[in-house]
Amino acid sequence: MAKTATPAPRTTKSATTTKSTGNKRRAARGGSGAERTSLQNAESGFRASATLSENLQSVLVDLIELQLQGKQAHWNIVGTNFRDTHLQLDEIVHAARELGDTVAERMRALHALPDGRSDTVAQTTTLPEFPQGEIETSDAIDLITERLEAATSTVREVHDAVDDEDPTSADILHEVLEQLEQLAWMVSAENRRPAGR
């Protein structure tokens, strides 16, 4: 019968003091590496300036408002090409919701506080108010295109300042621009005629 080796007893490292900082480090579980102290585990890293926070907030409120207006149109359109327009509006709502969530979570990663409350959105969005009541599909196309372009303009207005302070946040704005501009093109094409006709 083969004899199996008995594992050597596990040894634990005692707390040591690093020469350069004088900080005590305790051995991590398993005896490798070092644990951080509660002070070292406190939130730290890059923090958004007030300007960066305000710029990302301005994009966020327009994306939230775009979601709301897209749903308002979705529920109240009537007329030619109803079903396709109805479904396309939901695509816009979904994109605005996802993009808004990405912007808000980036803000939190930078220790900024996103504000998506209805009164804040209503007071600070650049999107014009959406009309109440039933809307002809062709009118809804023009109204939603205008709002997509308004949200896009906000992103373009703040982009360079965001990029100067935080290129990673600017990358998120690139994604927002790409999606909103593509949606604006696709929606507006519903009411266009070929050039020269």
Side-chain angles (χ1 to χ4, degrees):
M1 179 182 236
K3 197 172 188 181
T4 56
T6 306
R10 182 178 277 177
T11 58
T12 57
K13 296 179 182 177
S14 59
T16 59
T17 303
T18 60
K19 291 179 184 173
S20 59
T21 62
N23 290 337
K24 284 195 172 186
R25 294 188 174 224
R26 294 171 303 281
R29 280 188 230 163
S32 62
E35 293 179 353
R36 291 178 158 248
T37 65
S38 58
L39 181 62
Q40 290 168 320
N41 279 329
E43 286 187 351
S44 60
F46 180 77
R47 291 181 175 268
S49 68
T51 301
L52 178 58
S53 297
E54 288 166 13
N55 285 335
L56 293 175
Q57 175 68 24
S58 67
V59 173
L60 177 62
V61 295
D62 278 3
L63 290 169
I64 293 170
E65 183 67 14
L66 183 59
Q67 292 176 54
L68 297 171
Q69 292 199 23
K71 267 300 182 189
Q72 181 69 15
H74 171 85
W75 295 322
N76 290 296
I77 58 167
V78 293
T80 306
N81 207 20
F82 164 82
R83 181 168 169 72
D84 286 343
T85 305
H86 184 76
L87 294 173
Q88 192 171 40
L89 287 166
D90 256 353
E91 291 174 8
I92 293 166
V93 169
H94 176 74
R97 182 181 299 121
E98 292 289 316
L99 293 167
D101 191 51
T102 300
V103 170
E105 289 183 355
R106 179 62 184 164
M107 291 176 73
R108 289 302 296 135
L110 302 180
H111 312 287
L113 298 173
D115 188 352
R117 295 173 300 165
S118 56
D119 59 336
T120 301
V121 173
Q123 291 168 17
T124 58
T125 184
T126 66
L127 277 60
E129 185 178 356
F130 200 82
Q132 167 63 327
E134 289 187 337
I135 304 238
E136 187 78 33
T137 49
S138 59
D139 293 337
I141 292 297
D142 290 340
L143 290 167
I144 290 297
T145 300
E146 179 184 16
R147 280 136 185 88
L148 284 163
E149 290 172 348
T152 298
S153 291
T154 297
V155 177
R156 288 195 173 277
E157 284 170 17
V158 303
H159 175 272
D160 289 351
V162 169
D163 194 32
D164 287 345
E165 185 171 345
D166 181 35
T168 303
S169 293
D171 286 346
I172 290 170
L173 297 186
H174 297 156
E175 181 184 347
V176 174
L177 280 172
E178 179 186 6
Q179 288 195 45
L180 293 185
E181 289 177 341
Q182 183 180 44
L183 287 166
W185 158 60
M186 295 180 83
V187 172
S188 66
E190 293 278 351
N191 283 351
R192 286 196 58 234
R193 296 291 174 263
R197 290 192 186 177

